Amino acid sequence: MAIQTKQDLYEKLWDGAEQLRGSMDASKYKDYMLGIMFYKFLSDKTLDAFSREAEVFDDVYNMYFEAAENDGELIYDELRTSLGYYVQPQDLYQTWVKKIEENEFEVADMQNAFSNFQRNVQDSPNRQDFDGLFSSLDVNSPDLGKDLNQRNKNLRALVKLFADLDMNELEKTDVLGDAYEYLVGQFGMESGKKAGEFYTPRQVSEVMAQIVTNSTDKIKSIYDPTVGSGSLLLTVSKHMTNDEKKVLQYVGQEYNTATYNLTRMNLLLHGVQPDHMTINNGDTLREDWPEDPDHPQQSRQFDAVVMNPPYSYNWSKGDDSAYENASLTDPRFQDYEALAPKTKADFAFLEHGLYHLDNDGAMAIVLPHGVLFRGGDEGTIRENLIKKNQIHAIVGMPAGLFTNTGIPVVVIVLKKNRINNNDNEVLIVDASKGFEKDGKQNKLREKDIAKIVDTIKYRTEETGYSHLASLNEIKENEYNLNIPRYVESIEKDEVYDVDGILHGGIPAYAIKSLSVLNNIANDTLWNDFNEIREGYLKQSVSDSELKSDIFSDENVVNLKKNLEKATDDFVDAWFEKLIKSTESDRINDIKEEMTEDAKNNLSVKDVVNGYEAYQVVANLWEKYLDRDVDMIQQAGLEKASNNGDLIPNDLIETTFFTDQTNKVNELNIEFNDVDSELKQLVDEGAENESFDGILFEDAKLLPKNKLPKKSNLIESDDAEVIEFLDKHADLTKQKQALNKEIKTVQVELNSLVEDKAASLTANDIEMLVRKKWFGTFGKNIEQLMNDALDSELAELKKLNEQYSETLTDIQQEKQLLESSFLEMVSQLVKGDTHE
């Protein structure tokens, strides 16, 4: 049986979701699918807890029924004490499945189960974490089907989707929570603008989570006042150790009830214990929450605050709005001399989060770019934030990262005690150009995330990317934090040197600006140029010779050798770690360590940026390692090799049966050539009007049984038709013969591969897996250096072409053209006179 990886499970569930939801809007369908998935979790946990409490390990389902009939209240009290909830036997997910199999399931079964669960948790000590969890799942909604039969059919299909999942086993290895988070993300991408209510893109969550975990020494509590699905809270926890997570308190508030339910489910599925989570359904701006449980009337403080509030939210809507109830006597707003504008609550959300931040904590919030420079009350609030020295860093993000808006956003990092730490500068980062296109959206690459996080962690300045702005400098800019005021773009405008254009020659300063070539091949570079006058040079060799000289430069060759050695050492070390990985090794931890290792040890100073090597490894994880390491952790290398995904047949073919593989490839090339020639013959024939009605009809070749027979044609009159028929028959025969030979050779090759796959030795397996993962890795890393050199050589070629033609050359060419033109005019005039 094939090993099912986490990714296999995720894709299976999403494929099921896509097939089942039909025309229902993704933002609505997610509530049903994720809610029913969570109910399966509650049912499995109930049976597992009963099994342990009653020490029943066989036929647990039926034994639970029997125990509940005899000692129901006692059993339920024990379950409520150990779990905080329970599902009655008649309401179990397994009971739904049984009824479906017996064709007895009704929509009312699900509705009754949700109602009974709600009643059963009323006496639970963790009631607030379970109360109303399924309130947004209206199983009688017309969204599920136009009539009762259609709704019944659709709900049955959803129940079957999760029927085979063992939620207890999946929970043990974080697979369950990750699968839920994956589905939330997929629904987020499908929901478009509505996704902003519940989903923050993973890459943005990663930036914020890593910033806050790197910006404070300890995190025992995290708070998200606009919690959505809870993804930001969970992403922060992902970057903490298991010991740290054991004491971590998750706190959040969400206004939308359906999303509030989603949050609680998400946290519980990720193994967060009820006594470690406090999620509230409420309006963050209207009423300050939470209070300190030990000190009523005082706000609760948190080690980390993360937020992705609705952008430029109008908090004055309604007769009794949050804005109408707000005032500068509110301790959240009183220190900033103004309230956020009624139609733009961005700073109100920021102040709320900052108010609940502990003095030694760190906060990250995503807001629209306008908060950096808009005036009025927002300018007043921003000025006070700066004067209080509470803004630690600002990161300008690329536009188009979110499905619900295309506007550029910023991540603002805040701290309260920066004065005590003698930190009087605001780090301003322009990360707006670091992304790749992903369909209609823009997407941060792994290297982009790493660079942002490192820049903030180490407070580094880089021309065109980051700047440490002093408070005086910001004051001189009238407290305007618009990023271009502090970080100038380093995009080069095309500059033309007038003297070079007039008299020829590449300006020396233009050559000196090529930093990579000057840093690692300086002598070779300048030796291939001759000075034609002071400050101007001419290339003395061809472009190909120049490239050859640069790549043969002793320093370049040595740098490449060093990089190759570092790459080989990297591969040796990490291959051993990966194939010996076990389930006790967290895949995310391995990935982070490996990418960091690449960044630090596979760079070349002034040539290969470590973040480029980081991305090569990140790509390797996305392409192979995420799935393969998961399989190896589950079964070990040798057993995992039985899965065709770990060692695919084509890898065995190209490794052990080169001759046969080459033969198949050669035959396929020959087949394609013949096929192309045949298609060309037919296309040309279709354009021949003399063939119309004889060989073709409506530009289509007649069927074989309708084509004329050669015996009925006259050679002298129908030579062209006969030639076409002969050539068509010959090519068709060749194509059929090649197709037959390909099939024969392929069958033989498949048999060889099948036999080899069944008899792979341990050494074979290691060799094949290493080849799969790292076969092109060395070339990919070396290519980073080649790309850096080629980029500047291309720029040099452009300079050479730009300054190769002088003004004198242009004038001479102009004179020649004018003379030629006048001569032509003269000839025309003479011709007219002659007539």
Side-chain angles (χ1 to χ4, degrees):
M1 179 180 176
I3 301 162
Q4 187 176 58
T5 66
K6 288 188 281 189
Q7 197 63 34
D8 292 332
L9 173 62
Y10 304 162
E11 291 169 2
K12 173 188 172 184
L13 293 178
W14 181 245
D15 287 345
E18 287 284 80
Q19 292 171 18
L20 295 177
R21 79 176 167 99
S23 61
M24 190 187 299
D25 184 86
S27 63
K28 292 181 180 178
Y29 187 73
K30 79 174 191 311
D31 295 335
Y32 292 98
M33 180 174 179
L34 297 175
I36 289 172
M37 177 181 176
F38 183 72
Y39 194 82
K40 175 67 160 67
F41 167 77
L42 296 177
S43 295
D44 285 6
K45 294 289 285 184
T46 296
L47 287 175
D48 182 61
F50 167 75
S51 173
R52 285 184 282 103
E53 295 285 338
E55 296 185 351
V56 172
F57 306 105
D58 295 318
D59 197 16
V60 177
Y61 173 73
N62 287 318
M63 293 301 291
Y64 181 42
F65 262 90
E66 184 178 324
E69 287 179 3
N70 297 327
D71 299 295
E73 288 307 313
L74 177 62
I75 295 294
Y76 296 152
D77 284 343
E78 289 177 354
L79 290 173
R80 189 186 289 116
T81 300
S82 61
L83 282 179
Y85 61 87
Y86 65 91
V87 178
Q88 297 173 177
Q90 66 270 24
D91 295 330
L92 285 168
Y93 199 99
Q94 289 77 2
T95 303
W96 293 350
V97 173
K98 186 177 180 182
K99 285 188 172 184
I100 289 171
E101 291 171 347
E102 296 170 353
N103 202 29
E104 295 178 357
F105 178 83
E106 297 179 359
V107 172
D109 291 323
M110 190 173 285
Q111 184 65 64
N112 292 336
F114 293 156
S115 298
N116 291 338
F117 180 82
Q118 174 66 36
R119 186 183 65 252
N120 295 338
V121 297
Q122 294 308 301
D123 296 329
S124 170
N126 303 113
R127 170 183 167 180
Q128 67 177 27
D129 296 318
F130 301 97
D131 200 12
L133 267 176
F134 303 101
S135 60
S136 53
L137 269 67
D138 181 3
V139 296
N140 293 303
S141 169
D143 288 327
L144 277 172
K146 60 184 178 181
D147 54 38
L148 187 61
N149 286 335
Q150 187 63 46
R151 292 194 287 275
N152 190 309
K153 180 181 177 182
N154 288 336
L155 288 173
R156 286 180 179 218
L158 264 179
V159 171
K160 289 179 181 178
L161 184 61
F162 304 108
D164 294 334
L165 297 185
D166 186 335
M167 300 299 195
N168 292 306
E169 286 301 313
L170 293 175
E171 186 192 21
K172 291 175 184 176
T173 55
D174 294 332
V175 175
L176 183 60
D178 289 348
Y180 194 83
E181 190 76 9
Y182 172 84
L183 293 173
V184 170
Q186 292 296 108
F187 279 120
M189 287 185 283
E190 288 279 315
S191 299
K193 291 187 176 182
K194 296 179 183 179
E197 299 173 5
F198 64 88
Y199 180 62
T200 302
R202 185 196 71 81
Q203 296 84 12
V204 180
S205 294
E206 278 292 326
V207 169
M208 298 172 72
Q210 292 185 47
I211 285 172
V212 296
T213 52
N214 285 329
S215 298
T216 185
D217 293 335
K218 60 175 180 62
I219 298 180
K220 293 183 178 179
S221 60
I222 48 177
Y223 175 46
D224 185 347
T226 55
V227 73
S229 67
S231 62
L232 269 171
L233 295 179
L234 290 164
T235 307
V236 172
S237 70
K238 189 180 80 174
H239 292 280
M240 301 171 66
T241 67
N242 288 331
D243 287 342
E244 289 171 332
K245 283 199 278 190
K246 286 177 183 177
V247 298
L248 185 62
Q249 290 290 325
Y250 302 75
V251 182
Q253 180 158 245
E254 175 55 45
Y255 181 73
N256 182 289
T257 301
T259 308
Y260 159 68
N261 292 336
L262 184 67
T263 310
R264 292 182 292 163
M265 293 179 193
N266 200 4
L267 292 175
L268 289 165
L269 283 169
H270 275 87
V272 179
Q273 296 302 310
D275 58 344
H276 281 254
M277 56 182 272
T278 307
I279 308 299
N280 190 49
N281 187 195
D283 187 336
T284 289
L285 296 183
R286 183 179 175 82
E287 295 179 7
D288 184 23
W289 182 89
E291 291 183 343
D292 187 330
D294 298 324
H295 303 90
Q297 308 303 315
Q298 293 184 30
S299 72
R300 185 174 173 184
Q301 307 288 292
F302 299 92
D303 300 316
V305 176
V306 285
M307 298 178 69
N308 176 23
Y311 306 143
S312 298
Y313 172 68
N314 186 339
W315 60 318
S316 66
K317 288 182 179 179
D319 296 332
D320 192 27
S321 68
Y323 181 79
E324 294 300 324
N325 285 276
S327 73
L328 288 179
T329 60
D330 188 319
R332 296 175 294 173
F333 311 135
Q334 66 183 9
D335 292 338
Y336 301 95
E337 300 183 12
L339 286 175
K342 62 173 65 177
T343 59
K344 292 181 177 65
D346 304 305
F347 272 120
F349 283 112
L350 182 149
E351 291 168 290
H352 174 92
L354 187 57
Y355 179 67
H356 286 278
L357 182 66
D358 185 79
N359 283 333
D360 294 321
M363 171 179 167
I365 182 172
V366 187
L367 291 175
H369 203 266
V371 299
L372 300 179
F373 53 80
R374 291 194 297 243
D377 289 337
E378 289 184 298
T380 300
I381 296 170
R382 186 173 60 249
E383 181 177 339
N384 278 283
L385 285 166
I386 294 166
K387 286 179 176 178
K388 292 175 181 297
N389 199 21
Q390 292 176 325
I391 300 179
H392 185 63
I394 292 168
V395 184
M397 305 291 275
L401 293 178
F402 292 80
T403 55
N404 60 318
T405 179
I407 64 171
V409 297
V410 293
V411 172
I412 301 179
V413 186
L414 302 110
K415 291 185 174 185
K416 281 184 174 177
N417 69 342
R418 278 162 41 87
I419 294 175
N420 294 337
N421 289 337
N422 298 315
D423 191 348
N424 297 316
E425 296 171 313
V426 177
L427 178 65
I428 300 177
V429 181
D430 181 4
S432 61
K433 299 176 184 66
F435 65 91
E436 67 178 1
K437 294 295 294 182
D438 185 17
K440 294 180 180 179
Q441 300 300 125
N442 293 330
K443 174 183 173 183
L444 293 174
R445 295 160 294 191
E446 297 300 322
K447 66 178 181 181
D448 302 321
I449 297 171
K451 186 172 183 180
I452 292 169
V453 172
D454 284 351
T455 300
I456 293 176
K457 181 178 180 179
Y458 300 111
R459 310 284 284 170
T460 54
E461 288 191 284
E462 179 184 325
T463 303
Y465 187 77
S466 60
H467 173 65
L468 283 166
S470 68
L471 297 186
N472 283 335
E473 184 181 357
I474 296 171
K475 182 179 179 182
E476 288 172 3
N477 276 299
E478 299 178 332
Y479 300 98
N480 185 318
L481 290 174
N482 198 17
I483 292 173
R485 289 184 176 230
Y486 303 91
V487 183
E488 293 185 16
S489 174
I490 58 172
E491 289 183 357
K492 295 180 181 177
D493 293 325
E494 196 158 1
V495 177
Y496 291 90
D497 185 279
V498 176
D499 195 276
I501 293 294
L502 291 174
H503 306 294
I506 303 172
Y509 64 80
I511 300 175
K512 289 178 182 177
S513 70
L514 304 173
S515 59
V516 173
L517 292 175
N518 279 280
N519 284 331
I520 67 171
N522 183 273
D523 291 342
T524 300
L525 173 67
W526 291 92
N527 284 340
D528 283 348
F529 286 84
N530 293 326
E531 188 172 53
I532 56 176
R533 66 183 182 281
E534 187 176 354
Y536 293 86
L537 301 98
K538 185 174 183 180
Q539 191 171 306
S540 60
V541 298
S542 68
D543 292 333
S544 60
E545 287 174 313
L546 175 60
K547 180 173 181 176
S548 177
D549 290 344
I550 292 296
F551 276 80
S552 301
D553 179 273
E554 184 179 358
N555 190 41
V556 172
V557 171
N558 287 335
L559 285 173
K560 282 196 171 187
K561 285 181 179 178
N562 292 339
L563 183 59
E564 183 180 1
K565 173 68 166 57
T567 303
D568 289 343
D569 291 344
F570 178 90
V571 170
D572 288 342
W574 278 104
F575 181 70
E576 284 299 310
K577 289 182 182 180
L578 294 171
I579 63 172
K580 293 178 180 177
S581 171
T582 65
E583 286 187 287
S584 62
D585 303 312
R586 295 203 317 173
I587 286 180
N588 282 333
D589 293 342
I590 300 171
K591 182 177 179 179
E592 285 182 17
E593 186 184 348
M594 188 175 174
T595 47
E596 281 292 311
D597 189 10
K599 183 184 73 178
N600 295 329
N601 295 305
L602 298 182
S603 61
V604 178
K605 186 180 179 183
D606 301 322
V607 184
V608 177
N609 187 310
Y611 294 105
E612 298 298 332
Y614 184 105
Q615 187 64 47
V616 172
V617 175
N619 292 343
L620 188 62
W621 275 92
E622 183 177 2
K623 187 174 183 180
Y624 296 127
L625 296 181
D626 270 318
R627 188 187 296 269
D628 289 358
V629 173
D630 186 11
M631 284 191 285
I632 290 169
Q633 285 189 347
Q634 289 185 56
L637 180 62
E638 291 192 32
K639 287 185 179 178
S641 67
N642 295 327
N643 188 325
D645 286 339
L646 183 61
I647 301 179
N649 285 345
D650 60 355
L651 184 59
I652 297 174
E653 285 180 8
T654 56
T655 303
F656 295 104
F657 305 106
T658 308
D659 292 342
Q660 294 88 338
T661 303
N662 288 341
K663 179 65 175 175
V664 171
N665 292 337
E666 289 167 5
L667 288 170
N668 277 316
I669 291 170
E670 192 175 347
F671 177 89
N672 291 333
D673 288 343
V674 172
D675 187 50
S676 297
E677 191 176 351
L678 183 60
K679 286 177 180 175
Q680 185 178 351
L681 177 71
V682 172
D683 290 342
E684 290 173 353
E687 295 175 1
N688 190 331
E689 292 181 1
S690 65
F691 288 171
D692 195 27
I694 302 172
L695 299 174
F696 289 84
E697 189 173 307
D698 296 329
K700 291 184 179 180
L701 184 67
L702 293 170
K704 186 177 180 181
N705 61 349
K706 291 188 178 182
L707 288 172
K709 295 181 180 180
K710 284 177 61 177
S711 58
N712 296 333
L713 298 172
I714 302 171
E715 190 170 338
S716 58
D717 296 338
D718 303 309
E720 198 175 3
V721 173
I722 293 170
E723 182 184 2
F724 178 90
L725 289 171
D726 285 343
K727 195 167 184 180
H728 187 274
D730 181 54
L731 290 171
T732 302
K733 187 177 179 181
Q734 288 183 53
K735 185 178 173 182
Q736 291 170 344
L738 285 166
N739 189 45
K740 183 178 180 181
E741 188 175 0
I742 288 169
K743 287 181 178 179
T744 301
V745 176
Q746 188 65 61
V747 167
E748 292 174 358
L749 179 57
N750 290 345
S751 178
L752 290 170
V753 169
E754 187 177 343
D755 291 343
K756 185 63 181 178
S759 61
L760 290 172
T761 67
N763 287 337
D764 288 338
I765 293 167
E766 286 197 18
M767 179 269 292
L768 288 167
V769 173
R770 182 177 175 123
K771 183 178 179 180
K772 176 187 177 183
W773 292 347
F774 298 109
T776 62
F777 185 78
K779 289 182 180 179
N780 293 339
I781 294 295
E782 182 185 357
Q783 191 60 45
L784 298 177
M785 186 169 176
N786 292 341
D787 288 345
L789 292 167
D790 285 337
S791 176
E792 292 202 351
L793 284 168
E795 198 169 337
L796 195 53
K797 181 179 180 181
K798 185 178 178 182
L799 287 170
N800 194 32
E801 293 170 350
Q802 184 174 311
Y803 293 105
S804 62
E805 195 173 44
T806 68
L807 180 60
T808 302
D809 296 331
I810 295 171
Q811 289 173 335
Q812 288 175 349
E813 186 178 349
K814 179 184 175 186
Q815 288 174 354
L816 286 171
L817 288 170
E818 287 177 347
S819 298
S820 177
F821 176 72
L822 291 173
E823 178 63 26
M824 289 173 63
V825 170
S826 173
Q827 293 295 327
L828 288 171
V829 172
K830 286 179 181 179
D832 290 340
T833 303
H834 180 72
E835 287 182 5

